[in-house]
Amino acid sequence: MSPVAMDDSSGPYPAWKQDPHATESPASKSSPPKPKTPPAPYAGPAPEDTGHTWTIWGGGAAVVVAGGAVSVNTNDLDSLASSLTSAAGSLDDARTLVANAITEVSTAPPPPSPPLQFDPLDSNVFSPPARRWKDVNGQCVPIQESEDLSITPRFLRDEGTDDGVVHSGLDVDLEKSDALQALEALSTGPGSLQDVASALRGIASDVIACSQAHTLAEGGATPGGGLVGPVDVRAFDSGLLQLALGSSLTAHFPTISAVLASSPVAGWMLYKLLENNEDGQAAVEALQLLLSDPTTEQWVKEDLVRIVLLTRWLNNAKTGREAATVQTYLQQVSERLDPWAKQRLPGQVTVGTQTVDTKSLTPMQRVTMTLGADAVAVGAGVYGTQTGIMVTPVGGNGTTVLPPAAKDPFGLASPVKPGMTGKGKEARSPQSISETITHCQEVQSSRNSLGQGNEEAGVISIQRVEHADGRVSWVVYVPGTTDWTVGDGEPQDLLTNLEGVGGTPTAMESGVVTAMRQAGIKPGEEVALYGHSQGGITVSNIAADPAIQDRYNITTLLTAGSPTAGADIPDDVRALHLENTGDAVPGLDAAPTPTGPHRQVAMLDTHQTSTNGYPHASTAYAQATEGLEDKAPELADWNKSFSHASGAGEQGTTTTEYTFAIQRNTDPNGVYKGGTTYRGAVPSAKPSYPLPTPAPQPTGQH
């Protein structure tokens, strides 16, 4: 439960956006005119004295925060929306009265004709004989000749009398026309009753959306069925095939099943779509291998190709509903594939360092765990069987060599010499969420300069923060996916994504925890974790594992654009998950991210703002979260915890950053395009910069 912040036009889920064809608010079609004079200064109570616990700010991304300890009462919002709607209805009633008046004026008979009056003074072409009336209490009364003692020329339009205004006969039709025009302007057009009523309804719609957003936040920020609607697979198929093949070929292959009826056509189609995408072609090769397996062939035909095509549609990110749509779709898919996954998996499986009943997993976890196992087999045939993991400090000579993650989850059973960190460099601790995201992106960019032998390595960094009071804390940065193959030397790949969502131990989890051990993090020292995309999966799984909780004092977790629903974060870790509503990636685990007093989800809606690319990018999340701490007071507790570890806002801190390269080792038996194989070398494990820091030992205390 938490306050909501949204842009100055509408919330993430306003009522009008429930129409899938709507592109703008009804209020945007007719804006009321600006007042001619500025309104009087507000003299009411200050916002903090009004009793409301919600805030709204203009500009930037719309944000809805779920979880935390701040509650919201939406009764005032609902009452305001009802009052605005009622006021609009009153204006509609007024328009009905105006319409009746227009009818009466239009059908009213002309007034009775008085006797013709003639004055010799008026006998010229400019003043023909005229009839004259006077306005008495709203009635048109003829003026008798005996009453008229004035010699004022009759062609004057209005003349003052004791009884009212005198009108010349030639002016009656003009007055009637003026009256009709005035009534029409009052009813319709800029500044009219209709215009104001529409504006009130638009405001009411936004207030209703605000109330709904609170309801979503208090319910876990999960859009309801009426918000997104069911996913019509047939409708998707038609549109996706049109996009992929063009109208001419779509006429011959109206459905995905028809396309896949001929294997050559299917293969050609996928390669044609990805002919200029090297990573995409690697994925296609894996798909072709899966098509040869009878167990997965039907699934590939019915779903996987559809998802490949659907991904192209999601790349547009124009609606702000992509994440919810994908989550809903994949939930249906995982439930349909779950019986197949259950048959493939044993009764108990390894999740992190724990052995759990397979039944305790979600359908999507079981499906991705099964696909991860298949991907390992595919990778072994293409790149060679995994033989180990190497963790090398950048700038140092020592390397820790671990068994594959499946044999030693998190590498905790393998010996590690602390102090194997490389030289390190002086750094500045990020001062905000936005700066944290940006810094992790910089870490990922540094992989291009890791040096010889690390061209295919993943990269992470760890900051050691020495505070003015003498305490030491740590911040770990884990970037996202950089490779879309399944099991080559680069562990930040598709295989790690599948294994991470399913809960299977991954090479990146082993690499990150080993780097933490090499850095010399002591029990009790605060640790904050941040990860983007796949990195968010990795750090969430690390924070959730009981063996890690026993060893390290992880106090704070931050993820951006990550599917983290499967990670059971303990209550003593303050977690914040950033999820863009237009980013499909957070919905790939087919479930809403859990929330609670210490676990929050900030839903960002940027589809109406410029994000310079797909909203999954780190740059998009950094832009959307600028100033978020100040704008969202419900994040105060999380921000305090993260800053306590990172040193943000403190004076006298010293930050040293260490970068680590992580790489898989494989045997030489795999063959892929070009004939290259990966065979990881086994360098010396001697630390290049030893420090007198003992290896952290389990203490049972967190």
Side-chain angles (χ1 to χ4, degrees):
M1 299 187 296
S2 71
V4 63
M6 57 187 63
D7 60 24
D8 53 5
S9 59
S10 63
Y13 300 106
W16 61 268
K17 284 186 182 176
Q18 296 183 21
D19 178 1
H21 304 292
T23 58
E24 60 180 349
S25 167
S28 65
K29 296 181 180 179
S30 58
S31 301
K34 295 181 179 179
K36 296 181 180 179
T37 58
Y42 176 69
E48 60 269 22
D49 298 327
T50 61
H52 297 295
T53 57
W54 48 271
T55 58
I56 297 178
W57 71 82
V63 182
V64 179
V65 178
V70 180
S71 63
V72 178
N73 187 331
T74 61
N75 291 339
D76 287 345
L77 292 178
D78 297 334
S79 177
L80 175 59
S82 177
S83 298
L84 292 170
T85 303
S86 177
S90 298
L91 294 180
D92 289 340
D93 294 340
R95 289 188 65 214
T96 301
L97 297 176
V98 171
N100 294 337
I102 291 175
T103 301
E104 292 179 7
V105 172
S106 300
T107 60
S113 300
L116 289 176
Q117 303 174 19
F118 179 77
D119 192 315
L121 296 176
D122 297 333
S123 57
N124 56 63
V125 295
F126 297 106
S127 182
R131 299 181 178 91
R132 299 171 67 196
W133 294 266
K134 59 183 178 181
D135 185 350
V136 179
N137 297 325
Q139 299 296 320
C140 199
V141 179
I143 299 177
Q144 302 300 321
E145 184 176 359
S146 59
E147 298 179 41
D148 186 16
L149 303 178
S150 172
I151 61 173
T152 304
R154 307 296 194 274
F155 59 79
L156 293 178
R157 176 169 180 159
D158 296 317
E159 306 171 41
T161 68
D162 293 339
D163 297 317
V165 178
V166 176
H167 299 275
S168 301
L170 294 178
D171 294 334
V172 172
D173 290 337
L174 293 176
E175 294 290 344
K176 183 177 180 179
S177 176
D178 289 346
L180 290 174
Q181 291 180 6
L183 290 171
E184 290 287 354
L186 178 63
S187 180
T188 60
S192 65
L193 294 173
Q194 182 186 46
D195 193 24
V196 175
S198 297
L200 289 176
R201 286 193 173 90
I203 297 172
S205 175
D206 288 345
V207 173
I208 291 172
C210 183
S211 178
Q212 290 175 342
H214 284 299
T215 302
L216 292 174
E218 293 176 0
T222 305
L227 194 63
V228 175
V231 176
D232 188 336
V233 174
R234 292 170 300 177
F236 268 125
D237 284 354
S238 177
L240 295 174
L241 285 173
Q242 180 77 20
L243 174 67
L245 302 181
S247 57
S248 58
L249 283 176
T250 303
H252 298 286
F253 303 100
T255 66
I256 289 179
S257 298
V259 174
L260 289 170
S262 172
S263 179
V265 173
W268 169 84
M269 180 191 73
L270 291 174
Y271 276 104
K272 189 66 178 176
L273 290 174
L274 302 168
E275 60 183 349
N276 296 320
N277 187 320
E278 194 170 306
D279 290 338
Q281 286 196 7
V284 170
E285 291 169 4
L287 295 183
Q288 297 295 76
L289 289 173
L290 290 175
L291 283 171
S292 64
D293 184 336
T295 306
T296 58
E297 179 182 13
Q298 189 64 29
W299 173 77
V300 171
K301 288 184 176 181
E302 292 183 356
D303 289 277
L304 196 52
V305 175
R306 180 175 292 114
I307 293 173
V308 170
L309 298 178
L310 178 60
T311 301
R312 299 193 64 186
W313 171 78
L314 294 172
N315 282 338
N316 293 327
K318 298 296 185 182
T319 69
R321 304 191 309 170
E322 284 76 6
T325 301
V326 167
Q327 179 179 300
T328 301
Y329 175 69
L330 291 183
Q331 183 178 7
Q332 297 174 3
V333 171
S334 64
E335 290 172 354
R336 184 159 54 86
L337 295 178
D338 193 31
W340 165 76
K342 288 179 178 177
Q343 291 179 352
R344 296 283 304 277
L345 295 173
Q348 291 188 320
V349 293
T350 300
V351 174
T353 62
Q354 309 298 303
T355 300
V356 302
D357 289 338
T358 305
K359 294 180 180 179
S360 66
L361 304 179
T362 66
M364 193 60 176
Q365 285 178 307
R366 286 190 286 266
V367 169
T368 52
M369 182 175 285
T370 304
L371 291 177
D374 287 347
V376 169
V378 170
V382 178
Y383 304 106
T385 301
Q386 297 181 40
T387 60
I389 304 164
M390 296 191 304
V391 182
T392 305
V394 176
N397 297 318
T399 295
T400 298
V401 182
L402 309 169
K407 296 182 178 180
D408 182 12
F410 297 148
L412 293 177
S414 301
V416 170
K417 293 185 178 181
M420 194 184 299
T421 59
K423 190 173 183 180
K425 63 179 180 179
E426 186 177 352
R428 173 182 176 273
S429 298
Q431 302 298 299
S432 65
I433 293 174
S434 180
E435 288 187 12
T436 300
I437 297 172
T438 299
H439 180 71
C440 190
Q441 176 64 25
E442 294 169 349
V443 171
Q444 187 173 53
S445 299
S446 70
R447 70 187 296 268
N448 297 323
S449 58
L450 293 181
Q452 186 176 4
N454 293 319
E455 295 84 355
E456 292 292 328
V459 61
I460 70 165
S461 79
I462 299 177
Q463 289 183 342
R464 183 179 188 271
V465 184
E466 296 183 22
H467 300 263
D469 59 4
R471 65 186 180 90
V472 175
S473 60
W474 305 79
V475 183
V476 180
Y477 300 87
V478 184
T481 308
T482 57
D483 186 276
W484 291 100
T485 55
V486 285
D488 67 352
E490 162 63 279
Q492 290 173 318
D493 63 352
L494 178 60
L495 174 58
T496 294
N497 289 336
L498 293 172
E499 292 178 331
V501 171
T504 302
T506 73
M508 281 303 298
E509 292 168 356
S510 293
V512 172
V513 173
T514 299
M516 293 169 62
R517 296 171 65 191
Q518 290 183 190
I521 301 177
K522 298 178 181 179
E525 293 178 340
E526 293 182 42
V527 180
L529 305 175
Y530 167 69
H532 169 252
S533 190
Q534 180 195 106
I537 304 174
T538 298
V539 296
S540 295
N541 289 347
I542 289 173
D545 195 86
I548 299 298
Q549 296 168 25
D550 289 341
R551 182 179 290 263
Y552 294 114
N553 180 27
I554 298 175
T555 60
T556 321
L557 173 70
L558 174 64
T559 69
S562 307
T564 58
D568 186 12
I569 308 299
D571 291 340
D572 54 356
V573 176
R574 290 200 175 273
L576 173 60
H577 306 283
L578 307 172
E579 300 180 2
N580 194 311
T581 60
D583 177 10
V585 176
L588 293 180
D589 53 8
T593 302
T595 60
H598 295 87
R599 189 173 187 181
Q600 297 174 282
V601 175
M603 299 177 68
L604 313 170
D605 186 353
T606 62
H607 83 280
Q608 291 181 327
T609 62
S610 175
T611 56
N612 298 322
Y614 188 69
H616 180 64
S618 290
T619 52
Y621 277 97
Q623 177 183 342
T625 55
E626 289 180 355
L628 181 59
E629 296 89 341
D630 295 332
K631 298 174 182 177
E634 62 270 37
L635 299 179
D637 289 341
W638 177 91
N639 187 48
K640 180 179 179 181
S641 178
F642 191 84
S643 298
H644 199 253
S646 68
E650 290 185 27
Q651 299 294 326
T653 60
T654 301
T655 302
T656 305
E657 185 162 21
Y658 305 99
T659 304
F660 297 86
I662 303 171
Q663 190 169 3
R664 284 195 192 99
N665 288 336
T666 60
D667 65 26
N669 297 322
V671 178
Y672 75 109
K673 184 177 179 181
T676 306
T677 59
Y678 285 87
R679 184 174 187 178
V682 183
S684 169
K686 181 180 178 181
S688 55
Y689 293 91
L691 295 177
T693 308
Q697 300 295 325
T699 63
Q701 299 179 349
H702 181 60

